[in-house]
Amino acid sequence: MVYYTITYSIYFALCVGLFGFLKRDYRVPLVWIGGWLLMPVTFYPDLIAEGQGFPYWIVGLSLPSDLWPNKLWTVSVTTLLCLIFYEWDRIKQLRPCVWDAFLLAWCFWPVVQWSFGLDAAPKVWQSILILLGVWGAPWMIGRVIIFSVQDAMSFLRWMVVITSCLVPLALVEWLIRPILYGVVWWESHPFRFDGAERYLGFRPLLFFEHGNQYGLWICMVSVIGIWFLKSKQPLLSFRSAFLQRYGDPFLVGLISIVAILSQSVGAIVLMLLVTCYLLVLPCVHPKYLVAATGILLVIGGVLYLSNTIPFRKLATETQLGRKVVDSIRKSGRGSFSWRISQDQKALPLIRDHWMMGTAKWDWWRELNTRPWGYFVLLLGQFGAVGATLNLVVLLGTSLNALFRWRRNSVWCANQVGVLCAAIVVFSSLDGLMNAFLFAPATVLAAGLVRLSVSGPS
């Protein structure tokens, strides 16, 4: 614990000391994106050795738990404080809006739970502090740094460029196995073995919370790179005409190859879906696409959470169900059915607290397992009201941007807001099966407040 506190303190001191000397265009990307990609995740209280069990009790950093302080909180709070210290002129330009009110309601939802007599874990003040750091700070960062199309493109460009610097490290772990976290930070990562062996080589982990999160990150960055390439927007600047012409295609192609090599099937599927969505968007009215997707998700979510369709019983007690499960296992994707089974085990614990939530991060503890999907964890801890507030913060501005989009070409600079919205929405779908979210989604969602000019204000 002391080791991580010292590490985070050094990071904070370096950022505050150097922020003012950096060029404004790349201050935040270097501090926030660089910090997120390289810092140690958190102090893990219960590490396990290989072959001694699975650390199911470790949840993602986006929800309050015993994993605090952590890097998402530290990196976001540090960046926001640097903006306050050095760029107060940009802070003063902010104008409160409806979306900011939803953000505050979400961050202070634990107070409402406490007022209803729920015994919170973590404590109410700590939950609020964590939510303000992992949701409020990234939201404010997005509101401050993304005021225009050029600001959004700059942030996305830096995401691609900084991520490309990790490609050699990712290739090393793909060839050998996930080892760098332990080498650099002197502590073994608890999920270093989970899903590491893939069809070809290993899935890298680097300094992410989980290999799934690494796969989601590299796949979404690949989509961003493809958009820059197809939109003829430069990623790199070279004096050589040859490098200027072929540098960007090489960089994007390399990231795309590494994304495929991650072999995170869910993330690769989402990468293909968001790319196809951007391709067909000009041909189909976005309202129909968004509405149809939303209706399917709502109906599916209600059926899933209410157990109207007994998925576990169908999978274990019917011939067709057993064949489907066996087929999934034989394809090497047995984790898919396993994750659904973990959610299904936990659902009965939610039904008595479905409106307000339990206010406890480990409400699933008595099961000796936990749900693997973020949204089930969210619902159990904060209830339907809290989950709705969180989803409005995460998806509200993106869905608003897609609904209000006029049918123009997506592949041009002034449509970067559509790219941001699509990235946020599709990356968030990973939360159906994983507890580890795409960290920049909150920054991009907040940036859409200004990019989506016709949204609520």
Side-chain angles (χ1 to χ4, degrees), residues 99 102-103 106 135 139 297-298 305 374-376 378-379 383-399 424-425 428-429 431-432 437 445:
W99 302 114
F102 280 115
L103 183 278
W106 159 236
W135 287 95
W139 178 270
L297 288 175
V298 169
L305 294 173
Y374 169 80
F375 296 114
V376 177
L378 171 67
L379 188 63
V385 179
T388 300
L389 292 172
N390 180 229
L391 291 178
V392 170
V393 171
L394 181 60
L395 300 175
T397 56
S398 298
L399 295 176
V424 171
V425 171
S428 298
L429 292 178
L432 295 170
L437 299 184

Side-chain angles (χ1 to χ4, degrees), residues 396-407:
T397 56
S398 298
L399 295 176
N400 177 68
L402 295 177
F403 259 96
R404 294 178 179 273
W405 180 76
R406 300 296 177 259
R407 296 172 65 182

